[in-house]
DNA sequence: TACATGCGGGTTTTT
DNA sequence: CCCGCATGTA
């Protein structure tokens, strides 16, 4: 123990089992097994079933356990049946985890929890039941970001808006933001609506929503926003759900946004028979000018009465049994519309709420916990918890300075190998980065070391081009009005239906207000298209018509196989010679395989975009590499945290956009990172890092200064010659590095070279990949091959060139040798500039 | 219509 | 440095 045992919540210390009520009844017949092993706070959180409860659960305090046990408790005391419990999580991972644990606790009864899922999947499900009430049909498509952008691009083009000046991405961001805040087009404040496209932002939002209805589609935000609209405009529907859900549980409450909050508010009301309209849901007042103001927290303070204006529980309708679990110190999704205030103001929103703090940490050692606690204490505006552990102090948190990101990766690689030699499981090791571009360096390093690793997060399975193409075919079959899907595959594989054809179809479709697929049918009957295009399009339509019929006769997996085959899509990749073609075919197989889990095509398509995140086979022992954000909720024995530098972590953009609030969110992210570790937390910073291709000198993160000395050890980089080490890391120390011009003469590069010579045996190591790329302009693959060659040769004898030799290179022409390292030359080419090449690629002249 | 080449611009986190 | 986009060419 390094932290004093402060009782931040005195009223808990006098906890006594409540007399009477469910708790007592449950305990009466010797407390059920599932309650044993809970500490008093956890137990109270589980047993306080009536009225609103907020559980403030710090990192590693058994949050999931409380949630699942609470459900078990509700069920076993007979307070509700499985279908009467609404249990929402933020991520699919969390939902899966809960189902798993519930299953373990209850036997196999998990199937009977139909309302356990993410906000989005549950919102989507409700929406499908009542699709007609929001101008959709139940087979509507869920658009992902990509579809969204393409659609917006079309709208911008139709409006003659310059998408250079007003990018579709930006509009998508705005619309998302509005939807996160629960704003329909008419509710967007005029000022904000005018901020895009010379005042046309609001109009575009409205047009976009209209277009979605025509396409029978909804985007992510709609799954909640349209749900709210549904509840508002159809109180009878709302009432139905209000009375169905006897208990509501919410995980990660600190991550909920306004829309999610409103949705929960609506559902958590006791059903009232009279209220025909629910006033005051707009919450216009929270729409403060987030831009420019130092932070959103400045615009809303606890005590403002904006959010509860109309829909506060009327005296006659006490709030439901809602239990929210969260940790304000782990709120890291503010950029996505999450409102920390939701958790900060819980007792205000749900009067009479019981607040329970879980502060006993069962995960980390004393040093780790102390470091994390001390760091997060620098934040203002927290509810305040003091985590404590009964574990040993353990190893100190280490801070290691590396010269550059390459050395950082090398150092971490060596530490991992060392741990591995000591018998530690790679599965228990993680590297958590701030931004995904950091991952590549580690991947490169691990590949050369032959160290098994897995990247978590990455591009989602269903975001891969081949998966999206395949899905597009299925979408058109399922919902012929899905123009986006149709457009995507109309010429994939190439079948001679290019821009001109698509344009023609668009014209027809717009004139007659029909989907592209419909328009195609008509156009094929005319002679507007050239014979070749015409017969090609006819073939495609006939295919789809046939598939639509076959759908009823075949299983959906068979159908998918037939579609992929007959459309020529599989063949397209089989013919493809590029490196990743095989992987893509494999992915397509995986897609068909994954379809088996679903009842039918419709069910599959409903879920694919929401729950199809691949968590790769975890059976292999491998190091995990992921972002800090995706690490939330996970834990590892050893955690490496590279990149603790100003500008990267805290990220410059967070600082620029959100000011102090942004900084605090970054600090919470740091807190999340450290608390992922059970036994070892190892922080790194590099003095030089490459950003957009050029090297920059960086300053160690201020977060490092905020760590408590007593629990932190400054170590030397294992990767090299005692660079960063020493206790005095700080801005001044590295300020006077010699300036550098091209990337090849940077200190980092030079050092890497020195390293390589000293390092002896180890084969080359990264750092030459870019020279490889210089040899060949052919895409992909080539650089790798050449890199291999470089590495192989680099251990050889020194080159017989000398500095200032004039040389000739096939591709770059004439130049002069400026530097030599083994058989690798740095050459200043007369035309092509400075490049690194292997000596065998040039000849003396 | 399909492909190649050159240009400018943007780069955090994700349901 | 990598991407998408626009332009030009077979």
């Amino acid at each position: 123990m390094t932290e004093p045992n402060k009782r931040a919540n005195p009223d808990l210390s006098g906890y006594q089992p409540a007399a009477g009520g469910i708790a007592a009844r449950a305990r009466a017949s010797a407390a059920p097994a599932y309650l044993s092993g809970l500490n008093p706070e956890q137990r109270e959180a589980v047993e306080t079933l009536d009225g609103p409860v907020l559980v403030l659960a710090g990192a590693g305090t058994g949050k999931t356990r409380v949630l699942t046990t609470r459900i078990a408790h509700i069920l076993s005391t007979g307070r509700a049946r499985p279908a009467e419990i609404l249990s929402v999580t933020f991520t699919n991972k969390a939902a899966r985890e809960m189902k798993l644990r519930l299953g373990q606790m209850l036997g196999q009864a998990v199937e009977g929890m139909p309302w356990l899922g993410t906000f989005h999947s549950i919102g989507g499900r409700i929406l499908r039941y009542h699709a007609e009430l929001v101008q959709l049909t139940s087979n509507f498509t869920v658009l992902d970001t990509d579809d969204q952008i393409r659609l917006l691009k079309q709208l911008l083009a139709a409006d003659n808006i310059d998408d250079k000046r007003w990018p579709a991405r930006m509009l998508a961001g705005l619309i998302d933001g509005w939807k996160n805040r629960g704003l329909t087009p008419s509710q967007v404040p005029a000022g904000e609506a005018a901020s895009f496209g010379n005042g046309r932002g609001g109009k575009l939002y409205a047009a976009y929503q209209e277009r979605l209805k025509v396409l029978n589609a909804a985007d992510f935000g709609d799954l909640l926003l349209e749900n709210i609209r549904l509840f508002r405009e159809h109180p009878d529907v709302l009432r139905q759900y209000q009375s169905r859900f006897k208990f509501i549980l919410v995980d990660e409450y600190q991550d909920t946004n306004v829309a999610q909050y409103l949705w929960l508010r609506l559902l958590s009301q006791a059903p009232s028979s009279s209220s025909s309209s629910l006033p005051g849901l707009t919450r216009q007042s929270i729409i403060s000018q987030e831009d420019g103001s130092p932070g959103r927290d400045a615009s809303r303070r606890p005590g403002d009465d904006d959010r509860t204006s109309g829909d506060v529980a009327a005296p006659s309708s006490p709030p439901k049994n809602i239990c929210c679990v969260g940790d304000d110190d782990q709120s890291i999704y503010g950029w996505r519309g999450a409102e920390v205030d939701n958790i900060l103001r819980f007792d205000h929103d749900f009067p009479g709420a019981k607040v329970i703090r879980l502060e006993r940490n069962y995960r980390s050692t004393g040093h780790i916990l102390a470091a994390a606690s001390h760091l997060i204490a620098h934040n203002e505006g927290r509810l305040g918890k003091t985590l404590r552990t009964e574990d040993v102090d353990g190893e100190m948190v280490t801070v290691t300075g590396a010269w550059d990101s390459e050395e950082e990766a090398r150092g971490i690689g060596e530490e991992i190998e060392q741990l591995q030699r000591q018998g530690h499981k790679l599965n228990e090791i993680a590297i958590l980065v701030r931004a995904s571009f950091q991952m590549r360096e580690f991947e490169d390093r691990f590949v050369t070391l032959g160290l098994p690793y897995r990247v978590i997060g990455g591009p989602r399975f269903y975001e891969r081009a081949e998966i999206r193409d395949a899905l597009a075919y299925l979408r058109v079959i399922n919902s012929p009005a899905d123009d986006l899907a149709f457009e995507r595959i109309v010429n994939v594989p190439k079948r001679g239906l290019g821009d001109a054809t698509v344009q023609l179809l668009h014209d027809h479709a717009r004139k007659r207000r029909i989907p592209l697929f419909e328009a195609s049918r008509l156009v094929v009957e005319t002679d507007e298209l050239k014979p070749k295009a015409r017969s090609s399009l006819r073939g495609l339509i006939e295919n789809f018509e046939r598939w639509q019929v076959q759908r009823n006769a075949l299983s959906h997996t068979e159908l998918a196989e037939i579609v992929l085959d007959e459309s020529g899509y599989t063949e397209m990749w089989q013919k493809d010679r590029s490196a990743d073609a095989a992987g893509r075919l494999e992915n397509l197989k995986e897609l068909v395989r994954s379809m088996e889990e679903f009842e039918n095509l419709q069910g599959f398509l409903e879920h694919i975009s929401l729950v199809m995140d691949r968590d790769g086979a975890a059976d292999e022992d491998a190091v995990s590499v992921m972002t800090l954000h995706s690490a939330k909720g996970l834990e590892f024995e050893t955690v490496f945290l590279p990149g603790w530098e100003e500008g990267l972590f805290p990220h410059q953009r967070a600082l620029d956009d959100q000011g102090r609030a942004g900084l605090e969110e970054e600090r919470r992210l740091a807190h999340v990172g450290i608390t992922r570790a059970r036994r070892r937390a190892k922080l790194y910073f590099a003095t030089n890092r490459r950003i957009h291709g050029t090297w920059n000198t960086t300053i160690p993160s201020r977060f490092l200064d905020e760590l408590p000395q007593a629990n932190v050890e400054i170590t030397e980089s294992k990767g090299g010659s005692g660079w960063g080490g020493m206790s005095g890391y700080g801005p001044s120390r590295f300020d006077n590095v010699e300036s550098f011009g091209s990337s090849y003469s940077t200190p980092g590069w030079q050092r890497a070279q020195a390293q390589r010579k000293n390092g002896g045996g180890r084969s080359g190591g990264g750092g030459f990949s870019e020279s490889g790329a210089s040899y060949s302009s052919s895409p992909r693959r080539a650089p790798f091959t050449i890199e291999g060659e470089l590495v192989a040769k680099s251990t050889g004898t020194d080159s017989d060139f000398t500095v200032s030799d004039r040389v000739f290179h096939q591709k770059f022409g004439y130049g002069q040798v400026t530097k030599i390292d083994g058989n690798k030359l740095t050459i200043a080419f007369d035309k092509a500039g400075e490049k690194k090449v292997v000596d065998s690629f040039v000849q003396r002249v």
Side-chain angles (χ1 to χ4, degrees):
Chain A
M1 280 306 302
T2 49
E3 283 284 315
N5 266 3
K6 263 194 302 187
R7 270 271 173 184
N9 193 11
D11 52 356
L12 279 184
S13 52
Y15 171 81
Q16 293 293 329
I22 292 305
R25 219 183 308 152
R27 208 174 285 108
S29 52
Y34 56 80
L35 288 179
S36 66
L38 296 182
N39 68 37
E41 300 85 32
Q42 291 174 328
R43 193 155 170 169
E44 184 178 25
V46 166
E47 293 184 307
T48 310
L49 293 184
D50 295 298
V53 176
L54 174 65
V55 180
L56 289 172
T61 55
K63 172 182 62 110
T64 309
R65 181 164 187 196
V66 163
L67 273 172
T68 48
T69 311
R70 187 179 164 93
I71 293 176
H73 189 58
I74 292 169
L75 294 175
S76 69
T77 53
R79 290 291 302 273
R81 285 169 294 155
E84 295 171 329
I85 301 174
L86 171 66
S87 181
V88 281
T89 64
F90 203 67
T91 65
N92 295 305
K93 209 163 57 186
R96 232 178 299 127
E97 170 85 6
M98 275 185 63
K99 280 189 180 157
L100 189 74
R101 294 232 218 150
L102 254 182
Q104 289 166 351
M105 209 175 290
L106 298 175
Q108 301 84 321
V110 192
E111 291 311 313
M113 288 285 298
W115 301 102
L116 193 166
T118 64
F119 278 100
H120 289 88
S121 64
I122 290 175
R125 172 204 279 252
I126 292 178
L127 219 46
R128 284 191 198 276
Y129 283 129
H130 313 280
E132 286 75 16
L133 298 179
V134 290
Q135 295 77 52
L136 295 169
T137 63
S138 68
N139 62 340
F140 68 82
T141 305
V142 177
L143 300 187
D144 61 24
T145 318
D146 217 69
D147 291 320
Q148 209 182 352
I149 304 259
R150 282 195 298 150
L151 181 48
L152 286 171
K153 266 186 186 150
Q154 291 176 5
L155 291 175
L156 289 174
D159 237 12
N160 276 325
I161 294 175
D162 178 16
D163 68 344
K164 278 281 196 276
R165 196 169 128 83
W166 302 107
R169 273 203 97 67
M170 186 183 187
L171 182 56
L174 282 172
I175 291 177
D176 266 358
W178 290 327
K179 289 185 175 179
N180 283 158
R181 281 152 56 196
L183 301 172
T184 59
S186 61
Q187 295 171 318
V188 177
E192 276 187 66
S195 70
F196 183 92
N198 300 323
R200 280 179 285 186
K203 207 183 106 238
L204 285 162
Y205 178 19
Y208 171 71
Q209 290 304 99
E210 258 176 58
R211 191 88 183 95
L212 286 179
K213 305 301 178 214
V214 174
L215 295 173
N216 190 31
D219 64 18
F220 267 103
D222 282 343
L223 295 182
L224 283 162
L225 184 58
E226 289 294 72
N227 220 305
I228 291 169
R229 190 164 72 86
L230 167 75
F231 287 160
R232 268 199 228 156
E233 293 175 3
H234 301 276
D236 51 319
V237 174
L238 172 62
R239 230 173 289 133
Q240 181 188 326
Y241 286 95
Q242 284 173 333
S243 48
R244 166 173 310 173
F245 298 132
K246 303 272 196 316
F247 290 89
I248 299 177
L249 292 87
V250 187
D251 191 15
E252 306 280 18
Y253 189 63
Q254 78 283 354
D255 285 336
T256 51
N257 60 36
V258 174
Q260 288 157 342
Y261 165 83
L262 289 173
W263 187 77
L264 284 174
R265 281 302 299 233
L266 287 165
L267 285 172
S268 64
Q269 270 2 308
S272 72
S273 48
S274 57
S275 84
S276 54
S277 70
L278 292 158
L281 280 178
T282 54
R283 297 184 60 187
Q284 297 279 351
S285 48
I286 70 154
I287 303 134
S288 50
Q289 27 297 7
E290 284 173 26
D291 39 25
S293 74
R296 85 186 77 206
D297 52 343
S299 58
R300 291 173 63 207
R301 273 185 309 281
D304 293 358
D305 216 1
D306 47 23
R307 58 164 45 201
T308 48
S309 44
D311 55 336
V312 196
S316 57
S317 56
K320 262 277 202 26
N321 302 318
I322 182 169
C323 174
C324 296
V325 180
D327 179 2
D328 51 314
D329 291 335
Q330 293 188 61
S331 161
I332 55 176
Y333 285 104
W335 52 275
R336 210 173 87 191
E339 290 277 339
V340 200
D341 276 15
N342 284 345
I343 197 167
L344 296 180
R345 303 171 33 120
F346 185 85
D347 53 350
H348 185 268
D349 290 332
F350 297 91
K354 176 132 201 164
V355 179
I356 298 169
R357 285 181 160 78
L358 304 184
E359 300 179 296
R360 297 192 197 190
N361 176 293
Y362 297 102
R363 178 186 296 156
S364 309
T365 60
H367 280 310
I368 290 170
L369 207 55
S373 301
H374 197 272
L375 174 71
I376 197 64
H378 288 78
N379 271 5
E380 294 167 28
R382 31 192 309 253
L383 290 172
K385 288 182 305 306
T386 308
L387 290 178
R388 51 180 195 279
T389 178
E390 283 160 25
D391 202 344
V392 297
D393 282 351
E395 294 179 32
M396 289 214 237
V397 173
T398 65
V399 173
T400 308
W403 172 253
D404 60 12
S405 48
E406 196 187 312
E407 185 184 292
E408 180 182 66
R410 194 162 44 233
I412 289 176
E414 284 181 29
E415 283 207 57
I416 291 173
E417 287 187 316
Q418 200 179 325
L419 287 167
Q420 195 179 23
R421 281 193 296 273
Q422 293 165 5
H424 294 273
K425 281 258 161 291
L426 297 182
N427 274 335
E428 280 298 335
I429 300 174
I431 297 175
L432 310 182
V433 297
R434 175 63 182 81
S436 42
F437 75 83
Q438 291 172 262
M439 294 197 231
R440 233 195 64 184
E441 202 119 28
F442 291 99
E443 292 193 61
D444 287 352
R445 190 64 199 150
F446 292 167
V447 166
T448 62
L449 290 178
L451 202 60
Y453 69 92
R454 78 180 132 246
V455 170
I456 299 182
R460 269 182 231 338
F461 183 71
Y462 69 84
E463 279 170 6
R464 291 156 187 271
E466 67 276 17
I467 299 303
R468 292 173 49 81
D469 289 341
L471 287 175
Y473 275 99
L474 299 174
R475 274 163 60 181
V476 174
I477 294 170
N478 185 56
S479 173
D482 192 338
D483 284 2
L484 289 165
F486 181 81
E487 224 178 315
R488 182 177 179 96
I489 46 81
V490 67
N491 201 28
V492 180
K494 300 259 185 290
R495 44 174 81 90
L497 303 171
D499 293 345
T501 310
V502 173
Q503 192 52 51
L504 180 76
L505 292 177
H506 261 300
D507 291 344
H508 269 268
R510 184 167 323 175
K511 205 177 309 162
R512 296 167 206 242
R513 300 174 176 279
I514 53 173
L516 289 176
F517 188 77
E518 238 6 80
S520 306
R521 269 199 244 256
L522 299 178
V523 168
V524 164
E525 300 307 321
T526 70
D527 53 4
E528 290 169 79
L529 285 174
K530 294 200 189 109
K532 232 168 129 185
R534 185 174 160 186
S535 72
S536 179
L537 183 60
R538 169 174 285 136
L540 182 68
I541 291 173
E542 282 167 358
N543 274 343
F544 270 114
E545 285 172 342
R546 191 176 61 255
W547 293 329
Q548 275 158 5
V549 172
Q550 285 177 313
R551 175 187 183 173
N552 301 316
L554 300 172
S555 79
H556 55 298
T557 50
E558 287 169 319
L559 179 71
E561 276 166 355
I562 286 173
V563 169
L564 289 176
D565 181 34
E566 294 182 356
S567 64
Y569 192 74
T570 308
E571 189 189 359
M572 178 182 97
W573 287 114
Q574 280 164 348
K575 281 192 193 150
D576 192 300
R577 281 244 180 285
S578 65
D580 46 353
R584 292 177 192 271
L585 285 166
E586 195 48 50
N587 287 339
L588 289 171
K589 278 197 199 136
E590 172 63 32
L591 179 74
V592 175
R593 227 176 295 141
S594 72
M595 290 177 74
E596 289 168 10
E597 295 170 31
F598 298 90
E599 296 252 320
N600 51 38
L601 182 62
Q602 165 81 36
F604 169 69
L605 288 174
E606 276 176 22
H607 281 90
I608 184 73
S609 54
L610 295 176
V611 299
M612 189 70 190
D613 56 358
R614 78 219 208 95
D615 41 354
D619 39 337
E620 194 197 358
D621 193 38
V623 177
S624 299
V625 183
M626 69 188 97
T627 65
L628 285 162
H629 282 87
S630 43
K632 195 167 69 154
L634 304 180
E635 59 178 66
F636 301 88
E637 194 124 272
T638 305
V639 169
F640 290 93
L641 297 159
W644 284 47
E645 298 129 38
E646 284 295 303
L648 177 58
F649 194 29
H651 199 281
Q652 191 57 47
R653 185 140 164 191
L655 266 37
D656 292 345
D657 295 356
Q658 309 262 13
R660 211 205 72 216
L663 175 64
E664 296 215 340
E665 181 153 315
E666 295 286 295
R667 194 178 278 117
R668 290 193 290 268
L669 201 47
H671 173 254
V672 167
I674 295 174
T675 53
R676 294 312 94 194
R678 285 201 292 263
R679 326 296 314 175
R680 275 173 294 275
K682 300 186 159 293
L683 323 193
Y684 275 74
F685 69 91
T687 306
N688 293 281
R689 190 170 291 278
R690 190 161 42 181
I691 303 169
H692 309 333
T694 53
W695 286 95
N696 294 73
T697 302
T698 54
I699 297 172
S701 171
R702 69 191 77 185
F703 297 152
L704 293 174
D705 295 327
E706 294 171 359
L707 297 171
Q709 299 245 329
N711 310 284
V712 174
E713 178 188 11
I714 313 290
T715 72
E716 305 234 333
S717 166
K718 293 272 199 315
S721 33
W723 237 96
M726 313 306 105
S727 52
Y729 64 77
S732 56
R733 186 174 167 80
F734 302 121
D735 276 354
N736 300 324
V737 217
E738 61 198 349
S739 63
F740 34 85
S742 94
S743 58
Y744 302 126
S745 57
T746 62
W749 166 238
Q750 290 171 356
R751 233 187 92 64
Q753 283 181 312
Q755 196 67 48
R756 206 165 283 111
K757 281 185 176 162
N758 303 341
R762 200 169 289 295
S763 61
F768 291 104
S769 52
E770 54 195 18
S771 68
S774 312
Y775 289 123
S776 163
S777 57
S778 67
R780 310 287 152 221
R781 204 173 181 85
F784 290 108
T785 316
I786 292 175
E787 182 178 13
E789 209 174 321
L790 275 174
V791 171
K793 285 185 181 177
S794 67
T795 53
T797 54
D798 275 9
S799 150
D800 53 0
F801 287 85
T802 50
V803 170
S804 85
D805 277 352
R806 287 290 291 175
V807 294
F808 176 77
H809 184 278
Q810 283 288 348
K811 190 173 166 72
F812 303 131
Y814 292 94
Q816 188 166 30
V817 178
T818 59
K819 193 169 298 171
I820 299 174
D821 173 45
N823 64 335
K824 292 176 289 295
L825 311 176
T826 305
I827 298 170
F829 288 103
D830 302 346
K831 298 265 167 57
E834 196 168 55
K835 306 273 183 203
K836 282 192 318 250
V837 300
V838 175
D839 58 4
S840 58
F841 280 73
V842 297
Q843 40 204 259
R844 227 187 311 253
V845 290

